[in-house]
Amino acid sequence: MRISEQILAECHAHGVEAYPEETCGFIVGNLDDAESLETVYPMRNIMNEMHREDPEQFPRTGRDGYMIDPREHMKLERSLKKAGKQIKVIYHSHPDVGAYFSEKDKEDALWNGNARYPGITFLVCATNKGKPGDAILADFNANEGDFDITEIPANTSEESYGLLGGTFGVSGILPTLDFIHEWKNGQREVEYGYFRFVPPKQVKNFQQQLAVRHQARHALAFSSGRAALLELLSYLQDSRPLTKLNLASSATFITDALPSLEMSALHFNLNELPAAENFSAKEGDLILIAPEDLQNFVSENAEWLEKFKRLRVPVIVYEEAASGSWPADVQLAWPNGLTYWITGFDLPESHDLPSGIAGGVILSNNDRQMAELSELRKRRGAILSARNAALFCEKFAGNTEGTKMNSGNSSGVATEPGCVHEEAVTKQLCAWENASSGFLFPSGMAAIMAVLTLLQKREKPRLIVIGLLYSETYSLLMDSGRSSTCEAIFIGLHELERLAEVLTKDTAMVITETVTNPLCGVPDLERIGKLANAQGVPFVVDNTLASPANCQPIDWGADYVIHSTTKYLSGTNDHAGGAVLVKSPENAKALKKFQQNWGLGISPLEAEVLRKRMHDFEERMQRFNKNSLAIAHFLEAHSAVDRVYYACSSSDVSSSPAPKLLSGNGGVVSFVLKNNTEDNLRRFYDGEFISILKAPTLGSNQTLVCPYPLLTHYHDSDEDLLEIELPRYLIRIAAGSENNIEPIIADLNSSLARTTQ
Ligand code: PLP
């Protein structure tokens, strides 16, 4: 039996989520196909309950044993029967003891020396210190009367650091401050990092394969061909302000997008090619062509293309792959004269693949431009899902076996189109946020970039930014603020009286975060909302840190609410995505069109994962709220701690709008040490944590710690940091949703004991 990377990753992710307890569940496939493995069904481990009721009969707890909830099991069996499906594998996790088939596992799997569940394979996934490890498969061998064991080594080359969240993990683990410094200073190549900054290995592989295949030096993958093209145009417009677009394409998405790129185009016809000498690099000419048959066009017009190389006028060719097409047969060597070659991909829908698995790539030999574009992609977030990239790679290798995707849903009903998951997620988010419509994006930053680009207009050059926002949002806004046609005005949370003055009708938007990252400031949404609404200025709120469980910004006047679904909503560090919830149907219509034009849809595979993870979101969020408060109160009382920052802080209850706006704290608590130096921070951070992981994300079900400003604001001078009131050696704790906070507090206690005061 071969278990695909995706299926194994899901089982591991479930193990990571339950860590330090064991978890369990089933893998289901088609009744009539012995090899088919389609869907992972996590089940409830009721071992703790059994132990509580009868410790003598059930001496083990969830820490070292599992028992699948029989009611959930029965319910699943009933729905599987109707759908022609069957349980093929029973899996469980082994926290911190390695992957092996224990005597207890054997005992449970046998009945009178024979298989208790004939034909069923057992999968054991090791979860080491909360990270996915090796796995084994155990199959009963009737001749031997014992189990055959197949080892599945951990799919990482983990050394001192690793990947958080399994095969499709979103974040690297950062073991020491020196590690972070070396990485920042370019002395260390990291294999794993936050998904937007260090592309996941599946995406890297895909890019590499494309570059080799097309004999190009660089390949950069995006969420779609459209996104690839428009991100390139946006980059060229910003870096070569004279850009004059000469366009030979009838694609309406390009002409629709031009106003938001502040570009216009001169059209020409591919059947009557203008003389290359009519164009000039000095004048900022740029050629964009989308021939119907690229291969033919390039070979028939090789001379014409060559001339552009001599003239140094950039030429882009664009192919938007029609649904189902795959350029596997295209064996085109890099055509001379071409600067950028952009292709879209779209896997054909099949019985086991939903429609909409898309992607796009920019190929080029331009070193500097591609490096700059890669930097921009980190910030603008139109990334390719690692899940899509894994499938594309398998397609390239001609291997489609074992890539059966999970198309079932948690009710056990079989194959559904990919959009069903997206619809279910957006419906739920709209219900929580009191929005009229919702849209999912490839990342939180892509969601922010979309709203920003949609709302920014030449005739509305002003942006108002309230509070210190997430570093990448801040940089995106600063970039916009630097462009000649736009002016960003930054207002502190305690300077809201300035807002009425600067909020004019030429303001494109007011933007803030419900709880700011990482200082946990809470802006008075009601006050801002009233002023913005009165002027008819769109009010945009990033609600990621509060989450939909703790705040509904639309109730306070927000027009657009943004989430990074990479965080609390998914919780398992193995999903990347973003969401925008919109108050008015009219604004929703415009955003929908924008999203389609810019190719910024979420992968159906990510939507599916998100949907599954959201089923217990509200319950998890209660634990995030509770755990973060316990951590904050512990830190406040500790003599080595100087200041603690958290949203529902009791110290400024009279002046903070938090009690009015928030029903919970969220998970983030930041603090500074009394002896606020790098050496002291090193004493705290570099030592061993037992239950806390050192990673830069938040909203993870496991508690995380990171030296946030050292990671994200390292370019800033002391004066810059002073101006934004961000202490350089701030420590950010992203509390998890663990049931028991004691081991986390114990970790913090022993790490604080290492510091000096
Ligand atoms: N908004 C906030 C408040 C964040 O903290 C982040 C990421 O940390 C984002 C947006 C960006 O989300 P993503 O990383 O999914 O692109």
Side-chain angles (χ1 to χ4, degrees), residues 449-500:
M449 182 265 284
V451 173
L452 198 69
T453 315
L454 174 73
L455 296 181
Q456 253 176 313
K457 297 190 175 78
R458 192 184 280 271
E459 65 279 12
K460 291 191 187 277
R462 184 168 280 196
L463 299 174
I464 299 177
V465 186
I466 296 180
L468 174 64
L469 307 190
Y470 168 57
S471 53
E472 294 302 305
T473 310
Y474 183 78
S475 307
L476 197 61
L477 291 159
M478 285 295 277
D479 290 349
S480 311
R482 273 189 216 115
S483 98
S484 54
T485 53
C486 187
E487 171 200 25
I489 295 175
F490 294 86
I491 294 185
L493 294 187
H494 301 293
E495 306 173 319
L496 286 187
E497 67 285 351
R498 278 181 60 205
L499 184 59

Short mmCIF file of all heavy atoms in Angstrom, two decimals, residues 449-500:
data_model
loop_
_atom_site.label_atom_id
_atom_site.label_comp_id
_atom_site.label_asym_id
_atom_site.label_seq_id
_atom_site.Cartn_x
_atom_site.Cartn_y
_atom_site.Cartn_z
N MET A 449 -3.41 42.69 -0.22
CA MET A 449 -2.97 43.34 -1.45
C MET A 449 -4.17 43.57 -2.39
O MET A 449 -4.29 44.62 -3.01
CB MET A 449 -1.92 42.44 -2.13
CG MET A 449 -1.32 42.97 -3.39
SD MET A 449 -2.16 42.38 -4.85
CE MET A 449 -1.55 40.72 -4.99
N ALA A 450 -5.09 42.61 -2.44
CA ALA A 450 -6.24 42.74 -3.34
C ALA A 450 -7.10 43.93 -2.91
O ALA A 450 -7.47 44.76 -3.75
CB ALA A 450 -7.06 41.45 -3.32
N VAL A 451 -7.40 44.03 -1.62
CA VAL A 451 -8.27 45.12 -1.16
C VAL A 451 -7.57 46.47 -1.38
O VAL A 451 -8.17 47.43 -1.86
CB VAL A 451 -8.65 44.92 0.33
CG1 VAL A 451 -9.40 46.12 0.86
CG2 VAL A 451 -9.47 43.65 0.49
N LEU A 452 -6.29 46.48 -1.08
CA LEU A 452 -5.52 47.72 -1.25
C LEU A 452 -5.51 48.16 -2.71
O LEU A 452 -5.76 49.33 -3.02
CB LEU A 452 -4.09 47.43 -0.78
CG LEU A 452 -3.21 48.60 -0.46
CD1 LEU A 452 -3.71 49.28 0.79
CD2 LEU A 452 -1.77 48.13 -0.23
N THR A 453 -5.24 47.23 -3.61
CA THR A 453 -5.15 47.57 -5.03
C THR A 453 -6.53 47.95 -5.58
O THR A 453 -6.65 48.87 -6.39
CB THR A 453 -4.57 46.38 -5.83
OG1 THR A 453 -3.45 45.87 -5.13
CG2 THR A 453 -4.17 46.77 -7.23
N LEU A 454 -7.54 47.23 -5.11
CA LEU A 454 -8.90 47.53 -5.59
C LEU A 454 -9.31 48.95 -5.19
O LEU A 454 -9.93 49.67 -5.97
CB LEU A 454 -9.87 46.51 -4.98
CG LEU A 454 -11.35 46.74 -5.24
CD1 LEU A 454 -11.70 46.42 -6.69
CD2 LEU A 454 -12.22 45.91 -4.32
N LEU A 455 -9.00 49.33 -3.96
CA LEU A 455 -9.51 50.61 -3.45
C LEU A 455 -8.67 51.81 -3.85
O LEU A 455 -9.17 52.94 -3.88
CB LEU A 455 -9.63 50.55 -1.92
CG LEU A 455 -10.63 49.53 -1.37
CD1 LEU A 455 -10.67 49.58 0.15
CD2 LEU A 455 -12.04 49.76 -1.93
N GLN A 456 -7.38 51.55 -4.15
CA GLN A 456 -6.52 52.69 -4.48
C GLN A 456 -6.85 53.22 -5.87
O GLN A 456 -6.90 52.44 -6.82
CB GLN A 456 -5.06 52.26 -4.45
CG GLN A 456 -4.36 52.81 -3.25
CD GLN A 456 -2.95 52.31 -3.19
OE1 GLN A 456 -2.71 51.12 -3.35
NE2 GLN A 456 -2.02 53.20 -3.00
N LYS A 457 -7.08 54.49 -5.96
CA LYS A 457 -7.40 55.07 -7.27
C LYS A 457 -6.65 56.37 -7.41
O LYS A 457 -6.37 57.04 -6.42
CB LYS A 457 -8.91 55.35 -7.35
CG LYS A 457 -9.75 54.10 -7.26
CD LYS A 457 -11.20 54.38 -7.59
CE LYS A 457 -11.99 53.09 -7.60
NZ LYS A 457 -12.32 52.60 -6.29
N ARG A 458 -6.37 56.71 -8.66
CA ARG A 458 -5.62 57.95 -8.91
C ARG A 458 -6.31 59.15 -8.26
O ARG A 458 -5.68 60.02 -7.68
CB ARG A 458 -5.52 58.15 -10.43
CG ARG A 458 -4.55 59.22 -10.83
CD ARG A 458 -4.59 59.39 -12.33
NE ARG A 458 -3.80 58.36 -12.99
CZ ARG A 458 -2.50 58.47 -13.26
NH1 ARG A 458 -1.86 59.56 -12.89
NH2 ARG A 458 -1.85 57.53 -13.87
N GLU A 459 -7.68 59.16 -8.37
CA GLU A 459 -8.39 60.33 -7.84
C GLU A 459 -8.55 60.28 -6.32
O GLU A 459 -9.06 61.22 -5.71
CB GLU A 459 -9.75 60.52 -8.55
CG GLU A 459 -10.78 59.43 -8.34
CD GLU A 459 -10.57 58.19 -9.24
OE1 GLU A 459 -9.50 58.06 -9.85
OE2 GLU A 459 -11.48 57.34 -9.26
N LYS A 460 -8.15 59.16 -5.71
CA LYS A 460 -8.20 59.07 -4.24
C LYS A 460 -6.82 58.68 -3.73
O LYS A 460 -6.57 57.52 -3.40
CB LYS A 460 -9.26 58.04 -3.81
CG LYS A 460 -10.68 58.49 -4.10
CD LYS A 460 -11.66 57.57 -3.42
CE LYS A 460 -13.08 57.91 -3.83
NZ LYS A 460 -13.67 59.00 -3.07
N PRO A 461 -5.91 59.62 -3.70
CA PRO A 461 -4.50 59.26 -3.43
C PRO A 461 -4.17 59.02 -1.96
O PRO A 461 -3.07 58.58 -1.65
CB PRO A 461 -3.73 60.47 -3.95
CG PRO A 461 -4.69 61.60 -3.86
CD PRO A 461 -6.08 61.04 -3.98
N ARG A 462 -5.10 59.28 -1.05
CA ARG A 462 -4.73 59.23 0.37
C ARG A 462 -5.11 57.88 1.02
O ARG A 462 -6.20 57.36 0.80
CB ARG A 462 -5.45 60.37 1.08
CG ARG A 462 -5.11 60.51 2.51
CD ARG A 462 -5.62 61.82 3.07
NE ARG A 462 -4.74 62.92 2.73
CZ ARG A 462 -4.76 64.10 3.35
NH1 ARG A 462 -5.64 64.32 4.30
NH2 ARG A 462 -3.93 65.05 3.01
N LEU A 463 -4.18 57.35 1.82
CA LEU A 463 -4.45 56.14 2.61
C LEU A 463 -4.25 56.51 4.07
O LEU A 463 -3.24 57.15 4.39
CB LEU A 463 -3.41 55.06 2.33
CG LEU A 463 -3.24 54.50 0.96
CD1 LEU A 463 -2.04 53.57 0.94
CD2 LEU A 463 -4.48 53.72 0.62
N ILE A 464 -5.14 56.08 4.94
CA ILE A 464 -4.91 56.37 6.36
C ILE A 464 -4.71 55.05 7.11
O ILE A 464 -5.54 54.13 7.01
CB ILE A 464 -6.08 57.17 6.96
CG1 ILE A 464 -6.19 58.51 6.20
CG2 ILE A 464 -5.87 57.41 8.45
CD1 ILE A 464 -7.34 59.37 6.62
N VAL A 465 -3.59 54.97 7.80
CA VAL A 465 -3.20 53.73 8.48
C VAL A 465 -3.23 53.98 9.98
O VAL A 465 -2.55 54.90 10.46
CB VAL A 465 -1.77 53.34 8.06
CG1 VAL A 465 -1.41 51.98 8.63
CG2 VAL A 465 -1.61 53.37 6.55
N ILE A 466 -3.98 53.17 10.72
CA ILE A 466 -4.10 53.43 12.16
C ILE A 466 -3.41 52.34 12.97
O ILE A 466 -3.75 51.15 12.85
CB ILE A 466 -5.58 53.58 12.54
CG1 ILE A 466 -6.11 54.81 11.80
CG2 ILE A 466 -5.75 53.72 14.05
CD1 ILE A 466 -7.51 55.15 12.03
N GLY A 467 -2.44 52.74 13.75
CA GLY A 467 -1.71 51.80 14.61
C GLY A 467 -0.56 51.16 13.86
O GLY A 467 -0.42 51.30 12.64
N LEU A 468 0.28 50.46 14.61
CA LEU A 468 1.40 49.75 14.00
C LEU A 468 0.90 48.40 13.52
O LEU A 468 0.57 47.53 14.32
CB LEU A 468 2.51 49.54 15.04
CG LEU A 468 3.69 48.69 14.56
CD1 LEU A 468 4.41 49.37 13.40
CD2 LEU A 468 4.65 48.40 15.70
N LEU A 469 0.82 48.23 12.21
CA LEU A 469 0.24 47.01 11.65
C LEU A 469 1.32 45.95 11.43
O LEU A 469 2.52 46.22 11.56
CB LEU A 469 -0.45 47.32 10.32
CG LEU A 469 -1.49 48.46 10.35
CD1 LEU A 469 -2.27 48.49 9.04
CD2 LEU A 469 -2.47 48.31 11.52
N TYR A 470 0.86 44.74 11.08
CA TYR A 470 1.76 43.63 10.74
C TYR A 470 2.83 44.15 9.78
O TYR A 470 2.52 44.89 8.85
CB TYR A 470 0.93 42.50 10.14
CG TYR A 470 1.75 41.43 9.48
CD1 TYR A 470 2.73 40.75 10.19
CD2 TYR A 470 1.54 41.09 8.15
CE1 TYR A 470 3.49 39.77 9.58
CE2 TYR A 470 2.29 40.10 7.53
CZ TYR A 470 3.27 39.45 8.25
OH TYR A 470 4.03 38.49 7.65
N SER A 471 4.09 43.74 10.00
CA SER A 471 5.21 44.35 9.30
C SER A 471 5.06 44.36 7.77
O SER A 471 5.41 45.34 7.11
CB SER A 471 6.52 43.67 9.69
OG SER A 471 6.39 42.29 9.49
N GLU A 472 4.52 43.26 7.21
CA GLU A 472 4.44 43.21 5.75
C GLU A 472 3.32 44.10 5.23
O GLU A 472 3.42 44.68 4.14
CB GLU A 472 4.22 41.77 5.28
CG GLU A 472 5.40 40.87 5.55
CD GLU A 472 6.67 41.39 4.90
OE1 GLU A 472 6.69 41.62 3.69
OE2 GLU A 472 7.68 41.57 5.62
N THR A 473 2.24 44.22 6.00
CA THR A 473 1.16 45.13 5.61
C THR A 473 1.71 46.54 5.65
O THR A 473 1.48 47.36 4.74
CB THR A 473 -0.03 45.01 6.59
OG1 THR A 473 -0.36 43.65 6.74
CG2 THR A 473 -1.22 45.79 6.10
N TYR A 474 2.44 46.82 6.71
CA TYR A 474 3.04 48.13 6.89
C TYR A 474 3.93 48.46 5.69
O TYR A 474 3.85 49.54 5.11
CB TYR A 474 3.84 48.09 8.19
CG TYR A 474 4.49 49.38 8.60
CD1 TYR A 474 3.74 50.39 9.20
CD2 TYR A 474 5.84 49.57 8.41
CE1 TYR A 474 4.34 51.57 9.59
CE2 TYR A 474 6.45 50.75 8.80
CZ TYR A 474 5.70 51.75 9.39
OH TYR A 474 6.30 52.91 9.77
N SER A 475 4.78 47.50 5.29
CA SER A 475 5.68 47.75 4.16
C SER A 475 4.91 47.93 2.86
O SER A 475 5.26 48.76 2.03
CB SER A 475 6.67 46.60 3.98
OG SER A 475 7.31 46.34 5.18
N LEU A 476 3.85 47.14 2.69
CA LEU A 476 3.04 47.27 1.47
C LEU A 476 2.45 48.67 1.41
O LEU A 476 2.43 49.31 0.35
CB LEU A 476 1.92 46.22 1.53
CG LEU A 476 1.18 45.86 0.25
CD1 LEU A 476 2.13 45.30 -0.78
CD2 LEU A 476 0.09 44.84 0.54
N LEU A 477 1.99 49.16 2.57
CA LEU A 477 1.40 50.50 2.62
C LEU A 477 2.48 51.57 2.42
O LEU A 477 2.25 52.56 1.75
CB LEU A 477 0.70 50.72 3.96
CG LEU A 477 -0.57 49.89 4.15
CD1 LEU A 477 -0.92 49.75 5.62
CD2 LEU A 477 -1.71 50.51 3.38
N MET A 478 3.66 51.31 2.99
CA MET A 478 4.75 52.26 2.81
C MET A 478 5.13 52.33 1.33
O MET A 478 5.36 53.40 0.80
CB MET A 478 5.99 51.82 3.60
CG MET A 478 5.91 52.04 5.08
SD MET A 478 5.82 53.77 5.49
CE MET A 478 7.55 54.20 5.44
N ASP A 479 5.16 51.17 0.67
CA ASP A 479 5.49 51.15 -0.77
C ASP A 479 4.48 51.99 -1.53
O ASP A 479 4.82 52.78 -2.40
CB ASP A 479 5.45 49.72 -1.33
CG ASP A 479 6.61 48.89 -0.80
OD1 ASP A 479 7.52 49.48 -0.19
OD2 ASP A 479 6.58 47.66 -0.98
N SER A 480 3.18 51.80 -1.16
CA SER A 480 2.13 52.57 -1.85
C SER A 480 2.33 54.04 -1.56
O SER A 480 2.20 54.89 -2.44
CB SER A 480 0.74 52.20 -1.36
OG SER A 480 0.60 50.83 -1.35
N GLY A 481 2.66 54.32 -0.30
CA GLY A 481 2.83 55.71 0.12
C GLY A 481 3.97 56.39 -0.61
O GLY A 481 3.96 57.60 -0.79
N ARG A 482 4.95 55.58 -1.06
CA ARG A 482 6.11 56.18 -1.73
C ARG A 482 5.81 56.51 -3.19
O ARG A 482 6.49 57.30 -3.79
CB ARG A 482 7.28 55.20 -1.69
CG ARG A 482 8.08 55.35 -0.42
CD ARG A 482 9.34 54.56 -0.50
NE ARG A 482 9.61 54.04 0.82
CZ ARG A 482 9.61 52.77 1.14
NH1 ARG A 482 9.39 51.85 0.23
NH2 ARG A 482 9.86 52.40 2.36
N SER A 483 4.80 55.83 -3.75
CA SER A 483 4.56 56.06 -5.18
C SER A 483 4.05 57.50 -5.34
O SER A 483 3.40 58.05 -4.47
CB SER A 483 3.58 55.03 -5.74
OG SER A 483 2.30 55.58 -5.78
N SER A 484 4.37 58.08 -6.49
CA SER A 484 4.16 59.52 -6.64
C SER A 484 2.69 59.92 -6.52
O SER A 484 2.37 61.02 -6.14
CB SER A 484 4.71 59.94 -8.00
OG SER A 484 4.10 59.13 -8.98
N THR A 485 1.81 58.97 -6.83
CA THR A 485 0.40 59.35 -6.85
C THR A 485 -0.30 59.07 -5.53
O THR A 485 -1.51 59.23 -5.42
CB THR A 485 -0.33 58.58 -7.96
OG1 THR A 485 -0.05 57.20 -7.76
CG2 THR A 485 0.10 59.02 -9.34
N CYS A 486 0.42 58.60 -4.55
CA CYS A 486 -0.25 58.15 -3.34
C CYS A 486 0.42 58.66 -2.08
O CYS A 486 1.63 58.82 -2.02
CB CYS A 486 -0.21 56.62 -3.38
SG CYS A 486 -1.17 55.94 -2.10
N GLU A 487 -0.40 58.90 -1.06
CA GLU A 487 0.15 59.44 0.18
C GLU A 487 -0.42 58.63 1.34
O GLU A 487 -1.65 58.53 1.49
CB GLU A 487 -0.32 60.90 0.27
CG GLU A 487 -0.03 61.59 1.56
CD GLU A 487 -0.93 62.82 1.75
OE1 GLU A 487 -2.02 62.85 1.14
OE2 GLU A 487 -0.55 63.69 2.50
N ALA A 488 0.47 57.96 2.11
CA ALA A 488 -0.02 57.19 3.26
C ALA A 488 0.18 58.02 4.52
O ALA A 488 1.27 58.53 4.77
CB ALA A 488 0.73 55.87 3.36
N ILE A 489 -0.88 58.15 5.32
CA ILE A 489 -0.79 58.91 6.57
C ILE A 489 -0.91 57.93 7.73
O ILE A 489 -1.86 57.14 7.78
CB ILE A 489 -1.91 59.96 6.64
CG1 ILE A 489 -1.68 60.98 5.53
CG2 ILE A 489 -1.95 60.65 8.01
CD1 ILE A 489 -2.77 62.00 5.41
N PHE A 490 0.07 57.93 8.63
CA PHE A 490 0.08 56.99 9.75
C PHE A 490 -0.37 57.70 11.02
O PHE A 490 0.17 58.74 11.38
CB PHE A 490 1.48 56.39 9.91
CG PHE A 490 1.88 55.55 8.73
CD1 PHE A 490 2.47 56.11 7.61
CD2 PHE A 490 1.64 54.18 8.73
CE1 PHE A 490 2.82 55.35 6.50
CE2 PHE A 490 1.99 53.39 7.63
CZ PHE A 490 2.57 53.98 6.52
N ILE A 491 -1.35 57.11 11.69
CA ILE A 491 -1.89 57.71 12.92
C ILE A 491 -1.79 56.70 14.06
O ILE A 491 -2.19 55.53 13.90
CB ILE A 491 -3.38 58.10 12.70
CG1 ILE A 491 -3.48 59.22 11.67
CG2 ILE A 491 -4.05 58.51 14.01
CD1 ILE A 491 -4.87 59.75 11.46
N GLY A 492 -1.25 57.14 15.19
CA GLY A 492 -1.13 56.24 16.34
C GLY A 492 -2.50 55.96 16.97
O GLY A 492 -3.44 56.74 16.77
N LEU A 493 -2.57 54.87 17.73
CA LEU A 493 -3.86 54.49 18.33
C LEU A 493 -4.38 55.56 19.28
O LEU A 493 -5.58 55.67 19.51
CB LEU A 493 -3.72 53.18 19.11
CG LEU A 493 -3.41 51.94 18.29
CD1 LEU A 493 -3.46 50.70 19.17
CD2 LEU A 493 -4.39 51.80 17.14
N HIS A 494 -3.44 56.34 19.86
CA HIS A 494 -3.88 57.36 20.82
C HIS A 494 -3.94 58.75 20.20
O HIS A 494 -3.99 59.75 20.89
CB HIS A 494 -2.94 57.35 22.04
CG HIS A 494 -2.93 56.01 22.70
ND1 HIS A 494 -4.05 55.50 23.34
CD2 HIS A 494 -1.99 55.04 22.78
CE1 HIS A 494 -3.77 54.29 23.78
NE2 HIS A 494 -2.53 53.98 23.45
N GLU A 495 -3.92 58.78 18.87
CA GLU A 495 -4.00 60.10 18.21
C GLU A 495 -5.25 60.19 17.34
O GLU A 495 -5.25 60.86 16.31
CB GLU A 495 -2.80 60.29 17.27
CG GLU A 495 -1.43 60.10 17.86
CD GLU A 495 -0.36 60.16 16.78
OE1 GLU A 495 -0.57 59.61 15.67
OE2 GLU A 495 0.67 60.76 17.04
N LEU A 496 -6.29 59.47 17.74
CA LEU A 496 -7.45 59.40 16.85
C LEU A 496 -8.11 60.76 16.60
O LEU A 496 -8.86 60.92 15.64
CB LEU A 496 -8.49 58.40 17.39
CG LEU A 496 -8.12 56.92 17.25
CD1 LEU A 496 -9.28 56.02 17.64
CD2 LEU A 496 -7.69 56.58 15.82
N GLU A 497 -7.81 61.72 17.48
CA GLU A 497 -8.39 63.06 17.26
C GLU A 497 -7.88 63.65 15.94
O GLU A 497 -8.53 64.49 15.33
CB GLU A 497 -8.13 64.00 18.45
CG GLU A 497 -6.69 64.41 18.70
CD GLU A 497 -5.85 63.31 19.34
OE1 GLU A 497 -6.42 62.27 19.74
OE2 GLU A 497 -4.60 63.47 19.40
N ARG A 498 -6.72 63.15 15.45
CA ARG A 498 -6.18 63.64 14.16
C ARG A 498 -6.99 63.14 12.97
O ARG A 498 -6.92 63.69 11.88
CB ARG A 498 -4.74 63.14 13.98
CG ARG A 498 -3.69 63.95 14.70
CD ARG A 498 -2.32 63.38 14.42
NE ARG A 498 -1.98 63.37 12.99
CZ ARG A 498 -1.11 62.53 12.44
NH1 ARG A 498 -0.50 61.64 13.18
NH2 ARG A 498 -0.85 62.58 11.15
N LEU A 499 -7.73 62.06 13.20
CA LEU A 499 -8.39 61.39 12.09
C LEU A 499 -9.38 62.31 11.36
O LEU A 499 -9.38 62.37 10.12
CB LEU A 499 -9.10 60.12 12.60
CG LEU A 499 -9.76 59.24 11.56
CD1 LEU A 499 -8.73 58.76 10.53
CD2 LEU A 499 -10.42 58.02 12.21
N ALA A 500 -10.21 63.03 12.13
CA ALA A 500 -11.22 63.89 11.51
C ALA A 500 -10.56 64.89 10.56
O ALA A 500 -11.08 65.20 9.49
CB ALA A 500 -12.01 64.59 12.60
#
